[in-house]
Amino acid sequence: MPDTPIIPQLYVIGAGPGDPELITMKGYKILQQANVVLYDNLASKELLAYTREDCEKIYVGKRPYGDYTSQERILELIKEKAFEKGLVVRLKGGDPFIFGRGFEEVLFAREHGIKTEFIPGITSMQASGFLDIPLTHRSVSESVWMVTGTKKDGRLSADLKLAMESNATVVIYMGMKKLPEIAQTYIDAGNGNMPAAIIQHASLPQQRSVKGMIKDLPELAEENALTHPAIIIIGGVVGVLNY
């Protein structure tokens, strides 16, 4: 019998906000079939237990402001392992297509003749519900803006000022290092009293959070030793229980 030909495949899977039980059923099933898993820092390591014993598991994490695996190396591994072993899973925290560079990896794989599939994940902002913070609420907020806290050039996104002109809920990813600048932006616009919250390790047992007004959020974060990974939520929905 001839060997079964290797079919290079890449599945980019969202692991969810942290709790391993929040991965989708489809993602769970594909993990069981994987020959290789490339997993990042925000994907629960407990999910690796769903894989076969002979599945190769490679950590390619990027810790904020610390050691990291370069994106170039991750792309090299996708190509190398897909042609060597077949089904590769790229397991990424949250949803890979929301500030996760997942689509870059899909495009790279396709350019090299690798079949691709995408399985979405629950993004971390959706874990706000664990703190009784709805992202939208009738008469309070009718839309949501997702903003990156740090652009490629290190600057705060100009979209934040545009979002502030609406009643939208503003969710800032990767913004803890820019928290004082974010707060000052609201203060300068006369919106320093806007309700705001920080959620660190959303959905996990070690989840921690704080609520207050955006003008006080940097001080509250320092007092409560909150740091990354965390999301910042700004808007009336944070105080909706007070309405």
Side-chain angles (χ1 to χ4, degrees):
M1 289 285 291
D3 293 337
T4 303
I6 292 175
I7 301 174
Q9 301 176 74
L10 173 69
Y11 277 82
V12 177
I13 299 178
D19 183 344
E21 294 186 356
L22 292 177
I23 193 171
T24 64
M25 282 298 298
K26 188 168 186 178
Y28 164 74
K29 290 177 180 178
I30 295 300
L31 276 175
Q32 293 178 312
Q33 302 171 33
N35 297 319
V36 181
V37 176
L38 306 176
Y39 64 98
D40 72 16
N41 188 49
L42 296 178
S44 172
K45 309 306 179 287
E46 293 180 43
L47 294 173
L48 300 178
Y50 299 153
T51 63
R52 303 191 316 266
E53 285 188 11
D54 63 344
C55 175
E56 184 177 4
K57 306 163 189 71
I58 304 173
Y59 175 72
V60 291
K62 300 177 182 178
R63 290 183 172 85
Y65 319 115
D67 294 337
Y68 68 98
T69 304
S70 71
Q71 190 65 24
E72 291 73 19
R73 178 57 183 155
I74 293 171
L75 296 178
E76 289 174 3
L77 284 168
I78 288 172
K79 180 181 176 182
E80 173 188 328
K81 296 301 179 180
F83 282 100
E84 176 187 337
K85 295 193 173 182
L87 200 162
V88 174
V89 164
R90 179 69 172 99
L91 188 63
K92 301 171 74 72
D95 184 284
F97 282 11
I98 298 179
F99 304 125
R101 304 189 72 173
F103 197 57
E104 294 178 34
E105 295 170 3
V106 166
L107 292 176
F108 172 85
R110 289 177 184 171
E111 288 172 0
H112 290 84
I114 301 169
K115 180 182 176 182
T116 64
E117 296 284 349
F118 168 64
I119 300 177
I122 296 174
T123 186
S124 57
M125 73 174 185
Q126 292 175 281
S128 64
F130 294 126
L131 274 75
D132 287 335
I133 300 175
L135 294 174
T136 62
H137 189 71
R138 186 175 295 181
S139 78
V140 178
S141 173
E142 299 172 350
S143 60
V144 180
W145 282 62
M146 292 180 288
V147 183
T148 178
T150 307
K151 293 170 56 179
K152 185 177 181 180
D153 61 9
R155 291 182 297 132
L156 185 65
S157 172
D159 283 356
L160 180 61
K161 291 184 178 180
L162 296 174
M164 288 166 48
E165 296 177 7
S166 72
N167 290 324
T169 302
V170 178
V171 182
I172 302 175
Y173 287 69
M174 302 171 290
M176 291 302 289
K177 195 172 183 180
K178 294 283 187 180
L179 186 56
E181 185 178 346
I182 291 166
Q184 192 61 49
T185 300
Y186 274 82
I187 293 169
D188 292 346
N191 294 323
N193 291 331
M194 184 70 70
I198 298 171
I199 308 174
Q200 183 180 6
H201 298 303
S203 82
L204 291 170
Q206 67 268 33
Q207 173 179 291
R208 301 171 64 236
S209 64
V210 68
K211 294 181 181 179
M213 292 182 286
I214 184 61
K215 67 179 182 181
D216 300 322
L217 217 55
E219 182 178 351
L220 290 171
E222 185 174 354
E223 289 175 356
N224 291 275
L226 293 177
T227 181
H228 46 73
I231 55 170
I232 303 164
I233 303 175
I234 307 168
V237 293
V238 174
V240 75
L241 290 180
N242 300 324
Y243 279 74

